[in-house]
């Protein structure tokens, strides 16, 4: 559930060149959370691409993955080296064609890229929320997005599209607001968080909370502090789950036989230094992550991922009985975080519930992050699905 900067740079090339400006939606009323608690107001930072038509029927909402944000396409400044994280997918003449559609993407509630979350100032105390922020769920994120969509005067979305955590939000949109969603595409996701994924998240959270600089979650009150080592380790481990063995090997440009330290090893002192190419790569990813993400946001959003379970005490067929939208569910052959069978399970349950749902499995090499790749099959299926809807 990533938006790996290096991956984005590799696959996007020069990007579309469009200059976009983030906007802030301010909701000046209390917002209540699904599991209890509330905040007196909220902000969602978002970007839009394309033009909303006269009857406001061409809007598409993009839901980002765990460490993604609102900057899904284009550039903020001409000199920016990297465009938005799905720039090859969204734009004029692309899979989500901004000549036809008005595209919206917001940083999720609980995030740290302009939307209200643990780093935000609690207006009632004047201090950052920190771990006093209410416990977060994906339903909370979707209900906050719905407030944004309402503010734009949009009564029905032509589509909701998301991968990974974003795909899970697309499912919630179709269930929570069936009259507002005409079509949805959910890719590289699941109907519930699997135990292995929860286990990885649990270890990542332990790395953060056991860092002495976490300070019980209140590090945000002290400028320039925080559990940097813990957050970097959390990112390193999570990053492994996003890629396949093949793509990890490609990252370090070594095959498995060459992925060894050089020279003669006489003692265990070599363990004090980085000796394997993959270690250097993962440390690089961890260090880069510190520049743009907050540790408490990571704790909250990974916990929201682990709470996710559409069915709970019901069957998926029953849950999907309220859905009115057409669905395209996409799995990827090498995804071991949310294996293809979990995506197929969603489509089968929708079909059993009598819904118009299509499943496709894309043969890909990059593991979970395959939904971010420049894929002809993904483009063609997406473009055709949106046009036919």
């Amino acid at each position: 559930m990533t938006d790996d900067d290096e991956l984005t740079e590799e696959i996007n090339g020069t990007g579309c060149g469009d200059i976009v400006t983030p906007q802030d939606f301010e909701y000046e009323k209390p917002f209540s959370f699904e599991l209890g608690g509330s905040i007196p107001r909220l902000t969602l930072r978002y970007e839009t691409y394309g033009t909303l038509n006269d009857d406001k029927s061409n809007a598409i909402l993009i839901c980002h993955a765990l460490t993604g944000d609102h900057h899904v396409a284009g550039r903020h400044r001409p000199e920016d080296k990297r465009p938005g994280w799905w720039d090859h997918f969204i734009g004029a003449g692309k899979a989500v064609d901004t000549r036809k559609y008005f595209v919206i993407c917001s940083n999720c509630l609980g995030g740290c890229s302009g939307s209200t979350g643990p780093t935000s100032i609690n207006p009632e105390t004047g201090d950052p929320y920190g771990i006093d922020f209410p416990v977060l769920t994906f339903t909370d994120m979707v209900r906050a997005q719905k407030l944004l969509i309402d503010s734009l005067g949009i009564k029905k979305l032509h589509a909701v599209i998301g991968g990974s955590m974003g795909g899970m939000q697309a499912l919630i949109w179709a269930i929570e607001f069936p009259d507002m969603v005409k079509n949805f595409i959910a890719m590289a996701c699941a109907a519930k968080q699997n135990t292995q994924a929860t286990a990885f998240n649990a270890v990542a959270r332990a790395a953060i909370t056991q860092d002495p600089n976490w300070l019980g979650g209140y590090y945000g009150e002290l400028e320039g502090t925080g559990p940097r080592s813990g957050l970097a380790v959390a990112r390193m481990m999570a990053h492994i789950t996003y890629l396949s063995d093949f793509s990890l090997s490609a990252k370090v440009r070594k095959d498995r036989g060459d992925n060894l330290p050089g020279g003669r090893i006489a003692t265990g002192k070599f363990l004090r230094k980085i000796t394997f190419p993959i270690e250097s790569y993962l440390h690089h990813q961890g260090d880069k992550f510190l520049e743009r993400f907050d540790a408490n946001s990571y704790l909250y959003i990974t916990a929201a991922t682990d709470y996710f379970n559409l069915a709970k005490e019901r069957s998926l067929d029953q849950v999907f009985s309220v859905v009115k939208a057409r669905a395209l569910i996409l799995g990827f052959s090498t995804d071991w975080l949310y294996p293809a069978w979990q995506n197929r399970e969603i489509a089968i349950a929708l079909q059993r519930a009598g819904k118009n749902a299509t499943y496709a499995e894309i043969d890909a090499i990059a593991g979970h992050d395959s939904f971010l790749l420049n894929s002809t099959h993904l483009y063609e299926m997406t473009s055709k699905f949106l046009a036919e809807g």
Side-chain angles (χ1 to χ4, degrees), residues 204-264:
R205 288 192 292 269
I208 292 170
T209 58
Q210 292 179 23
D211 185 320
N213 290 319
W214 185 57
L215 301 178
Y218 294 104
Y219 60 87
E221 299 176 13
L222 302 174
E223 190 70 27
T225 64
R228 294 176 61 83
S229 294
L231 180 58
V233 170
R235 173 63 170 181
M236 290 167 66
M237 188 187 64
H239 194 77
I240 298 169
T241 71
Y242 302 147
L243 302 175
S244 66
D245 180 64
F246 179 89
S247 54
L248 278 173
S249 297
K251 292 293 184 184
V252 298
R253 291 174 173 81
K254 297 279 186 179
D255 63 32
R256 296 174 71 173
D258 293 334
N259 192 26
L260 294 171
R264 183 176 179 179

Side-chain angles (χ1 to χ4, degrees), residues 170-203:
L171 294 169
I172 294 172
W173 262 100
I175 294 165
E176 287 280 316
F177 306 108
D179 292 323
M180 286 190 68
V181 182
K182 188 177 181 183
N183 308 283
F184 72 93
I185 303 175
M187 56 186 83
C189 64
K192 64 176 289 187
Q193 179 78 330
N194 62 60
T195 304
Q196 178 176 263
T198 299
F200 280 115
N201 283 342
V203 177

